[in-house]
mmCIF file of all heavy atoms in Angstrom:
data_model
loop_
_atom_site.group_PDB
_atom_site.id
_atom_site.type_symbol
_atom_site.label_atom_id
_atom_site.label_comp_id
_atom_site.label_asym_id
_atom_site.label_seq_id
_atom_site.Cartn_x
_atom_site.Cartn_y
_atom_site.Cartn_z
ATOM 1 N N ILE R 1 -27.768 17.786 -105.818
ATOM 2 C CA ILE R 1 -28.537 18.262 -104.679
ATOM 3 C C ILE R 1 -29.535 17.195 -104.227
ATOM 4 O O ILE R 1 -30.233 16.588 -105.043
ATOM 5 C CB ILE R 1 -29.246 19.597 -105.028
ATOM 6 C CG1 ILE R 1 -29.977 20.158 -103.798
ATOM 7 C CG2 ILE R 1 -30.181 19.434 -106.200
ATOM 8 C CD1 ILE R 1 -30.517 21.561 -104.024
ATOM 9 N N GLY R 2 -29.569 16.957 -102.930
ATOM 10 C CA GLY R 2 -30.467 15.965 -102.361
ATOM 11 C C GLY R 2 -29.835 14.599 -102.139
ATOM 12 O O GLY R 2 -30.462 13.706 -101.567
ATOM 13 N N TRP R 3 -28.579 14.428 -102.551
ATOM 14 C CA TRP R 3 -27.902 13.131 -102.453
ATOM 15 C C TRP R 3 -27.806 12.612 -101.020
ATOM 16 O O TRP R 3 -27.979 11.426 -100.746
ATOM 17 C CB TRP R 3 -26.507 13.275 -103.060
ATOM 18 C CG TRP R 3 -25.540 12.176 -102.734
ATOM 19 C CD1 TRP R 3 -25.404 10.982 -103.381
ATOM 20 C CD2 TRP R 3 -24.550 12.172 -101.692
ATOM 21 N NE1 TRP R 3 -24.400 10.230 -102.802
ATOM 22 C CE2 TRP R 3 -23.858 10.949 -101.764
ATOM 23 C CE3 TRP R 3 -24.181 13.088 -100.702
ATOM 24 C CZ2 TRP R 3 -22.820 10.614 -100.883
ATOM 25 C CZ3 TRP R 3 -23.152 12.769 -99.833
ATOM 26 C CH2 TRP R 3 -22.481 11.541 -99.920
ATOM 27 N N ALA R 4 -27.525 13.492 -100.069
ATOM 28 C CA ALA R 4 -27.097 13.050 -98.740
ATOM 29 C C ALA R 4 -28.174 12.308 -97.953
ATOM 30 O O ALA R 4 -27.854 11.381 -97.209
ATOM 31 C CB ALA R 4 -26.584 14.241 -97.921
ATOM 32 N N THR R 5 -29.451 12.699 -98.077
ATOM 33 C CA THR R 5 -30.485 12.048 -97.260
ATOM 34 C C THR R 5 -30.600 10.558 -97.584
ATOM 35 O O THR R 5 -30.473 9.713 -96.684
ATOM 36 C CB THR R 5 -31.836 12.769 -97.405
ATOM 37 O OG1 THR R 5 -31.704 14.116 -96.916
ATOM 38 C CG2 THR R 5 -32.927 12.061 -96.622
ATOM 39 N N PRO R 6 -30.834 10.151 -98.837
ATOM 40 C CA PRO R 6 -30.888 8.711 -99.109
ATOM 41 C C PRO R 6 -29.535 8.024 -98.986
ATOM 42 O O PRO R 6 -29.480 6.844 -98.615
ATOM 43 C CB PRO R 6 -31.425 8.631 -100.540
ATOM 44 C CG PRO R 6 -31.256 9.982 -101.118
ATOM 45 C CD PRO R 6 -31.254 10.949 -99.998
ATOM 46 N N ALA R 7 -28.433 8.747 -99.265
ATOM 47 C CA ALA R 7 -27.108 8.138 -99.109
ATOM 48 C C ALA R 7 -26.854 7.780 -97.654
ATOM 49 O O ALA R 7 -26.257 6.743 -97.342
ATOM 50 C CB ALA R 7 -26.031 9.087 -99.633
ATOM 51 N N ALA R 8 -27.310 8.639 -96.736
ATOM 52 C CA ALA R 8 -27.171 8.346 -95.308
ATOM 53 C C ALA R 8 -27.988 7.113 -94.928
ATOM 54 O O ALA R 8 -27.573 6.311 -94.083
ATOM 55 C CB ALA R 8 -27.609 9.549 -94.479
ATOM 56 N N LEU R 9 -29.159 6.950 -95.551
ATOM 57 C CA LEU R 9 -29.951 5.747 -95.328
ATOM 58 C C LEU R 9 -29.156 4.505 -95.738
ATOM 59 O O LEU R 9 -29.088 3.514 -94.999
ATOM 60 C CB LEU R 9 -31.260 5.813 -96.110
ATOM 61 C CG LEU R 9 -32.052 4.497 -96.199
ATOM 62 C CD1 LEU R 9 -32.588 4.103 -94.834
ATOM 63 C CD2 LEU R 9 -33.161 4.610 -97.234
ATOM 64 N N GLY R 10 -28.563 4.557 -96.917
ATOM 65 C CA GLY R 10 -27.761 3.425 -97.392
ATOM 66 C C GLY R 10 -26.620 3.105 -96.444
ATOM 67 O O GLY R 10 -26.341 1.938 -96.144
ATOM 68 N N ALA R 11 -25.967 4.141 -95.937
ATOM 69 C CA ALA R 11 -24.857 3.936 -95.002
ATOM 70 C C ALA R 11 -25.338 3.306 -93.707
ATOM 71 O O ALA R 11 -24.679 2.424 -93.145
ATOM 72 C CB ALA R 11 -24.174 5.275 -94.722
ATOM 73 N N ALA R 12 -26.496 3.750 -93.219
ATOM 74 C CA ALA R 12 -27.040 3.203 -91.970
ATOM 75 C C ALA R 12 -27.399 1.726 -92.128
ATOM 76 O O ALA R 12 -27.203 0.931 -91.206
ATOM 77 C CB ALA R 12 -28.257 4.003 -91.536
ATOM 78 N N LEU R 13 -27.915 1.351 -93.290
ATOM 79 C CA LEU R 13 -28.232 -0.053 -93.541
ATOM 80 C C LEU R 13 -26.964 -0.885 -93.680
ATOM 81 O O LEU R 13 -26.927 -2.049 -93.277
ATOM 82 C CB LEU R 13 -29.092 -0.181 -94.800
ATOM 83 C CG LEU R 13 -30.538 0.304 -94.655
ATOM 84 C CD1 LEU R 13 -31.187 0.503 -96.012
ATOM 85 C CD2 LEU R 13 -31.355 -0.670 -93.813
ATOM 86 N N ALA R 14 -25.911 -0.272 -94.231
ATOM 87 C CA ALA R 14 -24.645 -0.981 -94.402
ATOM 88 C C ALA R 14 -23.961 -1.248 -93.078
ATOM 89 O O ALA R 14 -23.283 -2.257 -92.906
ATOM 90 C CB ALA R 14 -23.718 -0.179 -95.320
ATOM 91 N N SER R 15 -24.135 -0.331 -92.112
ATOM 92 C CA SER R 15 -23.465 -0.478 -90.814
ATOM 93 C C SER R 15 -24.394 -0.012 -89.694
ATOM 94 O O SER R 15 -24.212 1.064 -89.120
ATOM 95 C CB SER R 15 -22.161 0.339 -90.801
ATOM 96 O OG SER R 15 -21.428 0.101 -89.628
ATOM 97 N N PRO R 16 -25.397 -0.817 -89.362
ATOM 98 C CA PRO R 16 -26.410 -0.384 -88.390
ATOM 99 C C PRO R 16 -25.881 -0.206 -86.971
ATOM 100 O O PRO R 16 -26.534 0.426 -86.142
ATOM 101 C CB PRO R 16 -27.456 -1.512 -88.447
ATOM 102 C CG PRO R 16 -26.733 -2.694 -89.012
ATOM 103 C CD PRO R 16 -25.699 -2.145 -89.938
ATOM 104 N N SER R 17 -24.712 -0.745 -86.672
ATOM 105 C CA SER R 17 -24.162 -0.607 -85.319
ATOM 106 C C SER R 17 -23.463 0.726 -85.097
ATOM 107 O O SER R 17 -23.178 1.097 -83.959
ATOM 108 C CB SER R 17 -23.178 -1.745 -85.031
ATOM 109 O OG SER R 17 -22.063 -1.670 -85.901
ATOM 110 N N ARG R 18 -23.171 1.464 -86.172
ATOM 111 C CA ARG R 18 -22.494 2.752 -86.050
ATOM 112 C C ARG R 18 -23.513 3.891 -86.087
ATOM 113 O O ARG R 18 -24.597 3.761 -86.663
ATOM 114 C CB ARG R 18 -21.465 2.934 -87.171
ATOM 115 C CG ARG R 18 -20.298 1.976 -87.077
ATOM 116 C CD ARG R 18 -19.406 2.038 -88.293
ATOM 117 N NE ARG R 18 -18.729 3.330 -88.416
ATOM 118 C CZ ARG R 18 -17.954 3.653 -89.456
ATOM 119 N NH1 ARG R 18 -17.790 2.798 -90.460
ATOM 120 N NH2 ARG R 18 -17.371 4.834 -89.501
ATOM 121 N N ARG R 19 -23.146 5.001 -85.457
ATOM 122 C CA ARG R 19 -24.039 6.159 -85.430
ATOM 123 C C ARG R 19 -23.917 6.924 -86.739
ATOM 124 O O ARG R 19 -22.820 7.277 -87.164
ATOM 125 C CB ARG R 19 -23.679 7.065 -84.246
ATOM 126 C CG ARG R 19 -24.709 8.146 -84.000
ATOM 127 C CD ARG R 19 -24.463 8.879 -82.701
ATOM 128 N NE ARG R 19 -23.326 9.786 -82.756
ATOM 129 C CZ ARG R 19 -23.142 10.817 -81.933
ATOM 130 N NH1 ARG R 19 -24.014 11.061 -80.980
ATOM 131 N NH2 ARG R 19 -22.085 11.588 -82.038
ATOM 132 N N VAL R 20 -25.045 7.174 -87.377
ATOM 133 C CA VAL R 20 -25.079 7.911 -88.639
ATOM 134 C C VAL R 20 -25.654 9.299 -88.391
ATOM 135 O O VAL R 20 -26.734 9.441 -87.793
ATOM 136 C CB VAL R 20 -25.915 7.165 -89.698
ATOM 137 C CG1 VAL R 20 -26.130 8.041 -90.932
ATOM 138 C CG2 VAL R 20 -25.216 5.867 -90.099
ATOM 139 N N ILE R 21 -24.922 10.306 -88.842
ATOM 140 C CA ILE R 21 -25.341 11.707 -88.704
ATOM 141 C C ILE R 21 -25.522 12.290 -90.102
ATOM 142 O O ILE R 21 -24.622 12.214 -90.932
ATOM 143 C CB ILE R 21 -24.295 12.525 -87.918
ATOM 144 C CG1 ILE R 21 -24.155 11.966 -86.497
ATOM 145 C CG2 ILE R 21 -24.676 13.999 -87.876
ATOM 146 C CD1 ILE R 21 -23.019 12.587 -85.706
ATOM 147 N N LEU R 22 -26.679 12.844 -90.349
ATOM 148 C CA LEU R 22 -26.970 13.518 -91.617
ATOM 149 C C LEU R 22 -27.096 15.012 -91.360
ATOM 150 O O LEU R 22 -27.857 15.434 -90.487
ATOM 151 C CB LEU R 22 -28.275 12.982 -92.215
ATOM 152 C CG LEU R 22 -28.907 13.790 -93.351
ATOM 153 C CD1 LEU R 22 -28.011 13.822 -94.575
ATOM 154 C CD2 LEU R 22 -30.294 13.240 -93.700
ATOM 155 N N ALA R 23 -26.346 15.806 -92.114
ATOM 156 C CA ALA R 23 -26.423 17.263 -92.020
ATOM 157 C C ALA R 23 -26.726 17.802 -93.413
ATOM 158 O O ALA R 23 -25.895 17.729 -94.318
ATOM 159 C CB ALA R 23 -25.098 17.837 -91.503
ATOM 160 N N THR R 24 -27.925 18.349 -93.578
ATOM 161 C CA THR R 24 -28.359 18.781 -94.900
ATOM 162 C C THR R 24 -29.082 20.116 -94.825
ATOM 163 O O THR R 24 -29.647 20.471 -93.791
ATOM 164 C CB THR R 24 -29.278 17.713 -95.536
ATOM 165 O OG1 THR R 24 -29.661 18.121 -96.858
ATOM 166 C CG2 THR R 24 -30.524 17.495 -94.701
ATOM 167 N N GLY R 25 -29.047 20.851 -95.921
ATOM 168 C CA GLY R 25 -29.820 22.080 -96.008
ATOM 169 C C GLY R 25 -31.254 21.788 -96.403
ATOM 170 O O GLY R 25 -31.554 20.743 -97.004
ATOM 171 N N GLU R 26 -32.165 22.708 -96.076
ATOM 172 C CA GLU R 26 -33.573 22.429 -96.347
ATOM 173 C C GLU R 26 -33.854 22.356 -97.841
ATOM 174 O O GLU R 26 -34.754 21.622 -98.277
ATOM 175 C CB GLU R 26 -34.481 23.463 -95.648
ATOM 176 C CG GLU R 26 -34.822 24.711 -96.453
ATOM 177 C CD GLU R 26 -33.760 25.802 -96.356
ATOM 178 O OE1 GLU R 26 -32.550 25.474 -96.318
ATOM 179 O OE2 GLU R 26 -34.141 26.971 -96.343
ATOM 180 N N GLY R 27 -33.111 23.078 -98.653
ATOM 181 C CA GLY R 27 -33.316 23.012 -100.095
ATOM 182 C C GLY R 27 -32.996 21.635 -100.649
ATOM 183 O O GLY R 27 -33.779 21.050 -101.412
ATOM 184 N N ALA R 28 -31.855 21.096 -100.253
ATOM 185 C CA ALA R 28 -31.478 19.747 -100.685
ATOM 186 C C ALA R 28 -32.425 18.709 -100.107
ATOM 187 O O ALA R 28 -32.825 17.751 -100.782
ATOM 188 C CB ALA R 28 -30.038 19.448 -100.267
ATOM 189 N N HIS R 29 -32.802 18.892 -98.864
ATOM 190 C CA HIS R 29 -33.650 17.921 -98.161
ATOM 191 C C HIS R 29 -35.013 17.796 -98.831
ATOM 192 O O HIS R 29 -35.594 16.703 -98.864
ATOM 193 C CB HIS R 29 -33.813 18.365 -96.710
ATOM 194 C CG HIS R 29 -34.308 17.305 -95.781
ATOM 195 N ND1 HIS R 29 -33.787 16.023 -95.757
ATOM 196 C CD2 HIS R 29 -35.274 17.322 -94.815
ATOM 197 C CE1 HIS R 29 -34.407 15.317 -94.827
ATOM 198 N NE2 HIS R 29 -35.318 16.084 -94.248
ATOM 199 N N GLN R 30 -35.519 18.888 -99.389
ATOM 200 C CA GLN R 30 -36.844 18.838 -100.016
ATOM 201 C C GLN R 30 -36.882 17.899 -101.219
ATOM 202 O O GLN R 30 -37.934 17.368 -101.562
ATOM 203 C CB GLN R 30 -37.283 20.242 -100.426
ATOM 204 C CG GLN R 30 -37.710 21.115 -99.256
ATOM 205 C CD GLN R 30 -38.470 22.359 -99.691
ATOM 206 O OE1 GLN R 30 -38.821 22.523 -100.859
ATOM 207 N NE2 GLN R 30 -38.734 23.245 -98.736
ATOM 208 N N LEU R 31 -35.731 17.672 -101.859
ATOM 209 C CA LEU R 31 -35.721 16.802 -103.034
ATOM 210 C C LEU R 31 -35.897 15.331 -102.693
ATOM 211 O O LEU R 31 -36.479 14.573 -103.474
ATOM 212 C CB LEU R 31 -34.407 16.989 -103.816
ATOM 213 C CG LEU R 31 -34.391 18.114 -104.856
ATOM 214 C CD1 LEU R 31 -34.277 19.469 -104.190
ATOM 215 C CD2 LEU R 31 -33.242 17.918 -105.839
ATOM 216 N N THR R 32 -35.391 14.910 -101.537
ATOM 217 C CA THR R 32 -35.322 13.471 -101.262
ATOM 218 C C THR R 32 -35.741 13.095 -99.851
ATOM 219 O O THR R 32 -35.491 11.978 -99.410
ATOM 220 C CB THR R 32 -33.885 12.961 -101.503
ATOM 221 O OG1 THR R 32 -32.975 13.739 -100.708
ATOM 222 C CG2 THR R 32 -33.482 13.065 -102.955
ATOM 223 N N MET R 33 -36.398 14.007 -99.138
ATOM 224 C CA MET R 33 -36.651 13.777 -97.720
ATOM 225 C C MET R 33 -37.623 12.619 -97.454
ATOM 226 O O MET R 33 -37.728 12.138 -96.325
ATOM 227 C CB MET R 33 -37.161 15.042 -97.047
ATOM 228 C CG MET R 33 -38.448 15.633 -97.593
ATOM 229 S SD MET R 33 -39.946 14.829 -97.037
ATOM 230 C CE MET R 33 -39.703 14.951 -95.286
ATOM 231 N N GLN R 34 -38.328 12.123 -98.497
ATOM 232 C CA GLN R 34 -39.226 10.986 -98.275
ATOM 233 C C GLN R 34 -38.491 9.801 -97.647
ATOM 234 O O GLN R 34 -39.074 8.989 -96.940
ATOM 235 C CB GLN R 34 -39.852 10.503 -99.600
ATOM 236 C CG GLN R 34 -40.378 11.593 -100.494
ATOM 237 C CD GLN R 34 -39.369 11.917 -101.583
ATOM 238 O OE1 GLN R 34 -38.210 12.210 -101.303
ATOM 239 N NE2 GLN R 34 -39.816 11.862 -102.825
ATOM 240 N N GLU R 35 -37.174 9.709 -97.931
ATOM 241 C CA GLU R 35 -36.431 8.539 -97.472
ATOM 242 C C GLU R 35 -36.253 8.485 -95.962
ATOM 243 O O GLU R 35 -35.828 7.444 -95.434
ATOM 244 C CB GLU R 35 -35.066 8.467 -98.166
ATOM 245 C CG GLU R 35 -35.145 8.246 -99.661
ATOM 246 C CD GLU R 35 -35.932 7.002 -100.069
ATOM 247 O OE1 GLU R 35 -35.776 5.947 -99.428
ATOM 248 O OE2 GLU R 35 -36.722 7.094 -101.031
ATOM 249 N N ILE R 36 -36.556 9.560 -95.231
ATOM 250 C CA ILE R 36 -36.457 9.435 -93.770
ATOM 251 C C ILE R 36 -37.461 8.415 -93.258
ATOM 252 O O ILE R 36 -37.268 7.822 -92.195
ATOM 253 C CB ILE R 36 -36.612 10.796 -93.048
ATOM 254 C CG1 ILE R 36 -38.019 11.367 -93.205
ATOM 255 C CG2 ILE R 36 -35.554 11.790 -93.503
ATOM 256 C CD1 ILE R 36 -38.265 12.590 -92.328
ATOM 257 N N SER R 37 -38.532 8.178 -94.020
ATOM 258 C CA SER R 37 -39.503 7.153 -93.622
ATOM 259 C C SER R 37 -38.868 5.771 -93.603
ATOM 260 O O SER R 37 -39.265 4.897 -92.826
ATOM 261 C CB SER R 37 -40.704 7.166 -94.574
ATOM 262 O OG SER R 37 -40.304 6.869 -95.899
ATOM 263 N N GLN R 38 -37.863 5.568 -94.466
ATOM 264 C CA GLN R 38 -37.209 4.254 -94.524
ATOM 265 C C GLN R 38 -36.340 3.994 -93.293
ATOM 266 O O GLN R 38 -36.157 2.840 -92.894
ATOM 267 C CB GLN R 38 -36.360 4.148 -95.793
ATOM 268 C CG GLN R 38 -37.083 4.477 -97.077
ATOM 269 C CD GLN R 38 -38.172 3.477 -97.418
ATOM 270 O OE1 GLN R 38 -38.272 2.411 -96.815
ATOM 271 N NE2 GLN R 38 -39.022 3.824 -98.376
ATOM 272 N N PHE R 39 -35.784 5.065 -92.708
ATOM 273 C CA PHE R 39 -35.028 4.879 -91.468
ATOM 274 C C PHE R 39 -35.926 4.222 -90.414
ATOM 275 O O PHE R 39 -35.527 3.269 -89.737
ATOM 276 C CB PHE R 39 -34.519 6.217 -90.941
ATOM 277 C CG PHE R 39 -33.338 6.784 -91.679
ATOM 278 C CD1 PHE R 39 -33.499 7.799 -92.614
ATOM 279 C CD2 PHE R 39 -32.057 6.335 -91.416
ATOM 280 C CE1 PHE R 39 -32.413 8.343 -93.279
ATOM 281 C CE2 PHE R 39 -30.955 6.868 -92.074
ATOM 282 C CZ PHE R 39 -31.130 7.875 -93.014
ATOM 283 N N ALA R 40 -37.126 4.767 -90.280
ATOM 284 C CA ALA R 40 -38.054 4.212 -89.292
ATOM 285 C C ALA R 40 -38.504 2.807 -89.676
ATOM 286 O O ALA R 40 -38.612 1.910 -88.832
ATOM 287 C CB ALA R 40 -39.266 5.132 -89.149
ATOM 288 N N ARG R 41 -38.739 2.600 -90.950
ATOM 289 C CA ARG R 41 -39.214 1.302 -91.446
ATOM 290 C C ARG R 41 -38.257 0.173 -91.091
ATOM 291 O O ARG R 41 -38.673 -0.944 -90.784
ATOM 292 C CB ARG R 41 -39.392 1.397 -92.961
ATOM 293 C CG ARG R 41 -39.941 0.153 -93.631
ATOM 294 C CD ARG R 41 -40.000 0.384 -95.132
ATOM 295 N NE ARG R 41 -40.642 -0.699 -95.843
ATOM 296 C CZ ARG R 41 -40.697 -0.787 -97.174
ATOM 297 N NH1 ARG R 41 -40.154 0.163 -97.911
ATOM 298 N NH2 ARG R 41 -41.284 -1.807 -97.748
ATOM 299 N N PHE R 42 -36.951 0.487 -91.128
ATOM 300 C CA PHE R 42 -35.942 -0.542 -90.866
ATOM 301 C C PHE R 42 -35.329 -0.425 -89.469
ATOM 302 O O PHE R 42 -34.286 -1.016 -89.191
ATOM 303 C CB PHE R 42 -34.850 -0.483 -91.942
ATOM 304 C CG PHE R 42 -35.333 -0.956 -93.288
ATOM 305 C CD1 PHE R 42 -35.756 -0.053 -94.251
ATOM 306 C CD2 PHE R 42 -35.393 -2.312 -93.578
ATOM 307 C CE1 PHE R 42 -36.218 -0.488 -95.487
ATOM 308 C CE2 PHE R 42 -35.858 -2.757 -94.807
ATOM 309 C CZ PHE R 42 -36.273 -1.846 -95.764
ATOM 310 N N GLY R 43 -35.985 0.342 -88.594
ATOM 311 C CA GLY R 43 -35.567 0.409 -87.211
ATOM 312 C C GLY R 43 -34.237 1.100 -86.983
ATOM 313 O O GLY R 43 -33.545 0.814 -85.996
ATOM 314 N N LEU R 44 -33.864 2.042 -87.853
ATOM 315 C CA LEU R 44 -32.589 2.747 -87.742
ATOM 316 C C LEU R 44 -32.771 4.033 -86.940
ATOM 317 O O LEU R 44 -33.867 4.599 -86.887
ATOM 318 C CB LEU R 44 -32.052 3.069 -89.143
ATOM 319 C CG LEU R 44 -31.859 1.842 -90.043
ATOM 320 C CD1 LEU R 44 -31.607 2.271 -91.483
ATOM 321 C CD2 LEU R 44 -30.713 0.967 -89.532
ATOM 322 N N LYS R 45 -31.696 4.503 -86.320
ATOM 323 C CA LYS R 45 -31.785 5.651 -85.419
ATOM 324 C C LYS R 45 -30.757 6.729 -85.792
ATOM 325 O O LYS R 45 -29.788 6.966 -85.071
ATOM 326 C CB LYS R 45 -31.571 5.191 -83.979
ATOM 327 C CG LYS R 45 -32.613 4.179 -83.518
ATOM 328 C CD LYS R 45 -32.305 3.644 -82.133
ATOM 329 C CE LYS R 45 -33.330 2.602 -81.706
ATOM 330 N NZ LYS R 45 -33.036 2.038 -80.368
#
C-alpha cells in the first residue's frame, strides 16, 4: 500500500516527455503522499 505515488514519480523522471497519470486511493496516498512535492521540485506535470 502506498507504492503508486512515489513509483509514478520515478516513472515521470524516467520519461519526462510522456504524460504520467497517478490514480490512487486516499488510504494508500496517506502513506507516501509527501513525494508529490518532488514532482514540483523537478518541474514535472
Side-chain angles (χ1 to χ4, degrees):
I1 184 172
W3 165 85
T5 298
L9 168 68
L13 288 164
S15 186
S17 64
R18 293 172 66 184
R19 190 170 73 159
V20 171
I21 298 172
L22 166 64
T24 182
E26 90 275 37
H29 197 47
Q30 286 195 8
L31 273 76
T32 55
M33 59 80 55
Q34 314 99 306
E35 295 304 318
I36 67 171
S37 62
Q38 308 294 349
F39 284 101
R41 183 182 186 187
F42 290 97
L44 302 168
K45 299 175 182 179

